[in-house]
Amino acid sequence: MTTFGELVRYLTERFRQAGIESAALDARLLSAHAAGFSPEEAVTRRDEALPHAVLDRAIDVAQRRFAGEPVSRILGVREFWGMPFELSPHTLDPRPDTEVLVETALVWARDRHCANAPLRILDLGTGTGCILAALLSELPNATGIGIDRSEGALRTARRNFARLGFASRSIFLCGDWGSALADATFDIITCNPPYIETADIAGLSAEVRDFDPPLALDGGKDGLKAYRDIVPQVSRILRMSGIVVFETGHRQARSVRDMLTELDVGFQTEIFADLAGIERAVAGVRQPSDDAMRGKKKVGNPIGSG
């Protein structure tokens, strides 16, 4: 009989031979998934013999990994901000770089001593709902709306929020960015839109190209189409002194910043880098009207300004 530890070692070697960089981690996670073990049991039950049904499941999931499917897709879950989020074919696989949007909005709220206030949050292109859920977990009196064009993504987000306990503080709507919002205004707007240039999609890694939904990737010819659609809506739906935070792709942050500063209402903007030092997010704080004319195109520190 094959033990759990032997299965992990076997898959690790096979994944290494296939050139999978995270071979040991992938082998452990997928073996535990096949066996139905928790992370703790994957340590304490290494010497346990496995029935043939578990080995058959392990072979099946290993074949999916050899074909390029990400481990998170095979497991059906991805951790973000310390919480597990169900994935579906309709949602992006959340990535750690996106946490910079959450961090930026939270610094803004804490700097203004409003982290316990009844803030209203809008998450455009919500997908799994991970950004909105992360903010609600840190802002106990906030409520939020998540909007997505995909009904499948919205079903996934609703399941995530029900499981995480945020369903009573959130609403999910199907729509084209903020166009369906009539008179609603928000203190915080977050958005991780599609920003890959159409011509670059074919060259993406198979884990992204073949398993993330095209609707969430394709940003048009220059990758900026979604921002051109969304930024003009911000002046209508963002409250005075509120913050909007966009995730951006490589070499896009300054173009998105310029879109914000060129609006008729004043924005102070700042660009934030991810852990790899890549400019990853653009934040804009809407300035009161008496400051707009003086500082409309100033690149300041919206997070730290009072």
Side-chain angles (χ1 to χ4, degrees), residues 1-222:
M1 296 287 286
T2 300
T3 67
F4 180 78
E6 290 170 340
L7 174 62
V8 172
R9 289 192 292 273
Y10 172 75
L11 289 184
T12 298
E13 183 58 29
R14 290 292 309 277
F15 287 159
R16 283 177 178 156
Q17 292 172 355
I20 296 173
E21 292 183 3
S22 52
L25 176 61
D26 291 4
R28 185 171 69 254
L29 291 173
L30 293 177
S31 296
H33 176 68
F37 288 177
S38 68
E40 294 76 18
E41 289 173 323
V43 176
T44 61
R45 300 174 68 175
R46 292 186 63 85
D47 295 329
E48 183 169 321
L50 301 175
H52 289 295
V54 169
L55 299 178
D56 290 342
R57 286 196 295 272
I59 292 172
D60 289 342
V61 297
Q63 291 299 330
R64 291 169 64 182
R65 187 69 187 106
F66 289 136
E69 187 171 354
V71 171
S72 56
R73 293 284 180 189
I74 298 172
L75 301 181
V77 66
R78 166 73 79 172
E79 183 173 293
F80 183 90
W81 206 258
M83 295 179 286
F85 288 87
E86 175 192 336
L87 304 179
S88 76
H90 310 284
T91 66
L92 277 178
D93 185 346
R95 291 164 175 89
D97 291 340
T98 299
E99 292 191 353
V100 70
L101 275 68
V102 179
E103 294 164 355
T104 300
L106 290 177
V107 171
W108 169 88
R110 289 163 182 163
D111 182 72
R112 284 160 177 74
H113 308 289
C114 61
N116 292 313
L119 299 173
R120 297 189 65 185
I121 304 170
L122 174 65
D123 185 33
L124 297 171
T126 197
T128 61
C130 63
I131 297 172
L132 181 56
L135 288 171
L136 293 181
S137 74
E138 301 287 347
L139 303 171
N141 295 310
T143 56
I145 295 178
I147 293 181
D148 205 288
R149 289 179 288 178
S150 167
E151 287 283 6
L154 294 173
R155 288 193 294 271
T156 305
R158 291 187 185 107
R159 288 194 296 271
N160 281 324
F161 273 54
R163 189 183 65 257
L164 294 169
F166 298 129
S168 64
R169 298 167 56 196
S170 60
I171 298 173
F172 291 97
L173 304 174
C174 189
D176 189 13
W177 308 122
S179 60
L181 298 170
D183 300 322
T185 57
F186 300 88
D187 302 287
I188 299 172
I189 299 175
T190 56
C191 183
N192 179 15
Y195 54 68
I196 306 299
E197 295 180 19
T198 302
D200 291 342
I201 290 177
L204 295 174
S205 68
E207 293 191 4
V208 175
R209 181 191 65 236
D210 296 341
F211 296 97
D212 276 339
L215 185 67
L217 295 175
D218 193 343
K221 185 176 181 180
D222 62 357

